[in-house]
Amino acid sequence: MCLHSRPTAFAVIQEANLGTQSRKWENSAYGAIWSGQAVNLHLLYSILSSCCTQARTQCQHSRPAAKMAMSSILNIDDIKKALDAFKAADSFDHKKFFEMVGLKAKSAEDVKKAFHVLDADNSGFIEEEELKFVLKGFATNGRDLTDKETKAFLKAADKDGDGKIGVEEFAALVHE
């Protein structure tokens, strides 16, 4: 288990780097504000834990707390039905999925919000590594896409051929 999921992580970092005096913290995965100074907690976490340094993606614990849940954009029952419909490996169809979850009928602003939920590393793009876990972005019990499904999804969305999906490409794919 990584330190991000331990309640004592901030205490460890505080004690190791700033002493044990009482201080007011405003926490996030990327930093903390202490008396007006930014402290790079993500760097400290990377040193203390290897979970965030694997591949190019972050562990689930280091995602910003302010990140919106997909259930605040879409109906939870629609999400469950769509995930159930594509439960079997190699059954994923992005067009049908986006329609079933109700994303296709949503405003451009809501589609953009959904994109940012799926952009796990906050890079402004959904890379192939993130795309494999796209169903988990809709619900934590979503399955991983197979390599075949991931590559097909990327091929359908990546119109400029850069190997990743930008917000405009995602919106175009959703509204196909």
Side-chain angles (χ1 to χ4, degrees):
M1 183 180 294
C2 76
L3 283 176
H4 296 106
S5 62
R6 289 187 188 167
T8 59
F10 286 107
V12 168
I13 291 169
Q14 183 178 4
E15 186 174 334
N17 295 285
L18 300 172
T20 57
Q21 300 158 350
S22 177
R23 293 183 172 91
K24 183 176 179 178
W25 287 85
E26 186 177 311
N27 303 323
S28 78
Y30 294 103
I33 305 302
W34 169 69
S35 301
Q37 293 180 316
V39 178
N40 188 340
L41 291 181
H42 190 65
L43 176 61
L44 295 172
Y45 281 146
S46 296
I47 293 166
L48 297 172
S49 170
S50 64
C51 72
C52 283
T53 58
Q54 295 172 0
R56 289 180 11 202
T57 59
Q58 297 172 310
C59 75
Q60 65 180 350
H61 304 109
S62 63
R63 290 186 182 176
K67 195 141 188 142
M68 181 178 297
M70 198 64 79
S71 60
S72 68
I73 303 166
L74 303 170
N75 180 297
I76 193 73
D77 291 331
D78 291 342
I79 293 171
K80 287 178 185 176
K81 288 176 190 172
L83 289 175
D84 285 344
F86 298 102
K87 202 173 235 176
D90 293 321
S91 66
F92 183 73
D93 178 319
H94 65 273
K95 290 180 185 180
K96 289 179 184 175
F97 182 80
F98 290 145
E99 190 169 333
M100 288 180 76
V101 295
L103 194 56
K104 190 170 183 162
K106 292 291 183 178
S107 69
E109 186 63 30
D110 283 341
V111 171
K112 185 176 179 181
K113 288 176 187 175
F115 172 85
H116 289 295
V117 171
L118 299 173
D119 177 18
D121 65 1
N122 298 312
S123 66
F125 297 95
I126 301 172
E127 293 90 359
E128 189 171 349
E129 297 89 15
E130 294 168 306
L131 202 54
K132 181 176 183 81
F133 308 109
V134 74
L135 296 180
K136 290 186 186 316
F138 287 85
T140 55
N141 64 339
R143 70 172 175 88
D144 296 347
L145 295 181
T146 65
D147 288 342
K148 180 181 172 184
E149 290 170 317
T150 303
K151 290 190 184 310
F153 196 177
L154 183 61
K155 184 178 178 181
D158 183 21
K159 300 301 182 192
D160 63 7
D162 64 357
K164 52 192 175 185
I165 303 169
V167 68
E168 293 85 14
E169 291 171 317
F170 182 76
L173 184 72
V174 166
H175 290 116
E176 261 183 3

